[in-house]
Amino acid sequence: LGRVVAGLASMLIATSPVLWLVLVFRFFLGVGVSLMTMAAYVLSYDVTGTSWRPYVAVFLQAGYGAGGAAGAFLVWLVPQWRVLGFVIGLVPIVMAVTTWKYLVESPSWLLFQGRKGEATSAVASLAFGNRTRPPDSPLADPVNMLANPRRKLVDIIKNGRLLRRTALVGFAWVAVTVTYFGVLASYDAIGSMYTPSSGAELAFSGFLYELVGVAVAALAVDGVSRVGVTRARSAAAFTGATAVAMFAGAFSLLGGTSQAFRWFKWCTVASRLGAAGSMVTVLVLAWEAYPSIVAYSGVWLLHALSSALVASAPWLAFSAYLLRSAFVEWITLASLCGGACVAILLFDGAATRRFLTIQEEDEDEERQLTMTILTA
């Protein structure tokens, strides 16, 4: 559905005769892309083995970077935006039709809905596709999960521990997303002020830098955990590095010399590397921050929050254009990333303890409180 809505909206934008229709269809394009992205993330996460799940965020972000580079190249190759928009709109529709038969519904979601037979069939289909045998043990009985009264979005908000976790990870997700799209949206302004390159050329090179950042994040997501560094600290390292790069870039602009602008370009490269790694690691944290039974609701809440607030990114880029300087924008984005780094460090380590229900979370909190009192 997301791919079809996005494709149709893109084609309608390309054929719109007036501006207000472009704006209307742009809204539906955003809805389609958002739905497509989160559905792909959730479904991919659900059908991936536990040890490989952190790499889902890596692969999806790598796909986003590769698609961005391809899109920027097409913009440079076909500058007629109507032609480009119509052709690009056909791609997701064709993909929706040709790949439909390969999609398998999430066994976890089916089980949470009480559809155990369909969940078993989905597992068997996945095993057949991987040329392996399904597990010998049967799936868990969903009766207890279906009878669980605390499995909705409001239950996350009512739970103090999960609400605190949502606030911390949510702020980090919003900060990283606004930074990511803020830098991307300001490429035209950067090109006109500091380099002879066009926005399309800068975007193309930026997405290539991003792929390097995703590769580094792939090592950090799992590799550093083997030497005792948690994923939260890995995410904090990426967001902190992004903040440092953007602060350095902002203050380099005050020099006003060609050498200062060259330093600013290197800081821009570093910020793209850090932002890409931050996107990957924060996605991993967001999924692992909630008990399995409410993970869908929690991730949806964080995504909806970031989607609403990321609308500020183009306005930050526009401020750079009006002021003829990226200083204010870069300082703002660097401060957001610095705040995200602090929020992640305050994160309570949920990535190391994954529970099925909210009740198990409460029991774990009670045990920790008891141990603290006994120790004292």
Side-chain angles (χ1 to χ4, degrees):
L1 177 62
R3 288 189 290 191
V4 171
V5 170
L8 289 176
S10 181
M11 296 170 68
L12 290 170
I13 289 170
T15 55
S16 297
V18 291
L19 179 61
W20 70 267
L21 278 177
V22 173
L23 299 178
V24 170
F25 294 136
R26 282 281 293 183
F27 172 81
F28 287 104
L29 175 61
V31 171
V33 170
S34 183
L35 176 60
M36 171 173 60
T37 303
M38 286 310 299
Y41 177 57
V42 171
L43 185 58
S44 300
Y45 205 90
D46 274 355
V47 300
T48 304
T50 303
S51 61
W52 287 95
R53 280 183 171 178
Y55 292 100
V56 170
V58 172
F59 289 130
L60 287 177
Q61 191 62 32
Y64 193 91
F73 178 74
L74 287 174
V75 169
W76 176 80
L77 191 65
V78 185
Q80 294 83 8
W81 68 272
R82 289 185 183 273
V83 175
L84 185 62
F86 192 87
V87 172
I88 288 180
L90 288 174
V91 175
I93 296 177
V94 171
M95 289 182 65
V97 174
T98 56
T99 64
W100 175 258
K101 62 180 180 180
Y102 300 108
L103 292 179
V104 178
E105 184 57 84
S106 161
S108 300
W109 183 83
L110 289 170
L111 200 62
F112 288 163
Q113 302 302 310
R115 296 152 64 176
K116 185 175 179 179
E118 294 178 58
T120 303
S121 298
V123 171
S125 178
L126 290 168
F128 177 78
N130 290 329
R131 298 181 181 180
T132 59
R133 291 182 55 188
D136 294 328
S137 57
L139 295 179
D141 194 331
V143 173
N144 291 333
M145 288 185 289
L146 293 175
N148 194 310
R150 300 168 66 185
R151 49 183 302 189
K152 298 179 180 179
L153 181 62
V154 67
D155 298 314
I156 296 176
I157 299 174
K158 288 181 179 179
N159 185 284
R161 193 181 199 185
L162 293 181
L163 182 60
R164 182 172 65 253
R165 196 177 297 168
T166 299
L168 293 173
V169 180
F171 177 79
W173 192 337
V174 169
V176 169
T177 306
V178 171
T179 299
Y180 181 87
F181 286 103
V183 175
L184 183 62
S186 64
Y187 271 145
D188 282 332
I190 293 173
S192 64
M193 287 184 286
Y194 306 125
T195 74
S197 303
S198 69
E201 292 169 332
L202 291 171
F204 177 75
S205 60
F207 281 116
L208 295 183
Y209 306 146
E210 179 179 323
L211 291 176
V212 177
V214 172
V216 175
L219 299 175
V221 160
D222 193 43
V224 295
S225 62
R226 298 176 184 177
V227 295
V229 179
T230 65
R231 289 174 184 163
R233 291 179 182 176
S234 298
F238 277 106
T239 52
T242 307
V244 170
M246 300 204 76
F247 272 124
F251 286 106
S252 70
L253 293 175
L254 299 179
T257 63
S258 57
Q259 180 65 31
F261 292 153
R262 281 195 294 270
W263 175 250
F264 173 75
K265 287 194 292 184
W266 283 111
C267 291
T268 303
V269 173
S271 67
R272 282 304 297 265
L273 289 171
S278 299
M279 291 283 284
V280 171
T281 50
V282 170
L283 270 176
V284 174
L285 285 182
W287 186 264
E288 296 184 342
Y290 298 99
S292 299
I293 202 168
V294 291
Y296 302 105
S297 299
V299 172
W300 175 86
L301 174 63
L302 296 181
H303 179 65
L305 183 65
S306 67
S307 296
L309 296 180
V310 80
S312 62
W315 294 103
L316 288 171
F318 189 54
S319 70
Y321 174 77
L322 292 178
L323 297 172
R324 305 301 297 169
S325 172
F327 179 80
V328 173
E329 181 192 13
W330 248 238
I331 287 292
T332 303
L333 296 177
S335 300
L336 283 175
C337 286
C341 179
V342 174
I344 293 171
L345 289 175
L346 293 174
F347 185 66
D348 63 1
T352 62
R353 301 187 308 279
R354 185 71 186 274
F355 300 105
L356 177 64
T357 64
I358 294 180
Q359 286 87 338
E360 290 174 345
E361 283 272 2
D362 292 340
E363 291 168 3
D364 178 73
E365 188 173 24
E366 290 176 5
R367 284 194 298 270
Q368 289 189 15
L369 180 60
T370 302
M371 289 300 297
T372 302
I373 294 174
L374 290 176
T375 302

